[in-house]
Amino acid sequence: MPGIKVKEVETFDEAYRRFKKQADRNLIVTECRSRRFFESATEQRKKRKINAKKKMLKRLYMLRRYESRL
């Protein structure tokens, strides 16, 4: 779990920026989103789009691999 100690000469904005950077490095936000039960419609569309792209690239790879053997 990320945590920072605020220095005496440090402003709130600087401390908050350091905390956000540390949270991003530990992938806290992405893990929290993946563990949520409810997914919004936009998240579902994004996942479907990513999966379709992966599936297309896999088919293209297999097709090129098959053609190279001929």
Side-chain angles (χ1 to χ4, degrees):
M1 197 63 151
I4 61 166
K5 293 184 180 178
V6 181
K7 301 169 189 167
E8 288 184 23
V9 294
E10 193 173 33
T11 64
F12 173 77
D13 292 330
E14 292 169 345
Y16 181 63
R17 196 175 305 124
R18 276 198 310 135
F19 177 77
K20 274 179 46 179
K21 198 178 287 186
Q22 196 174 37
D24 286 344
R25 283 190 196 127
N26 292 331
L27 300 175
I28 298 217
V29 175
T30 54
E31 185 175 340
C32 185
R33 283 183 186 150
S34 68
R35 289 177 185 243
R36 270 196 319 208
F37 178 73
F38 177 77
E39 286 184 341
S40 65
T42 55
E43 288 176 347
Q44 289 175 353
R45 278 193 302 252
K46 272 185 187 177
K47 283 188 178 183
R48 274 187 266 153
K49 189 175 181 179
I50 290 170
N51 288 338
K53 192 173 186 178
K54 283 182 184 179
K55 191 175 183 180
M56 183 195 64
L57 288 173
K58 186 176 180 182
R59 284 185 179 174
L60 186 63
Y61 169 76
M62 295 302 284
L63 180 66
R64 286 184 178 165
R65 190 171 166 202
Y66 174 75
E67 287 177 348
S68 67
R69 290 184 178 177
L70 297 177

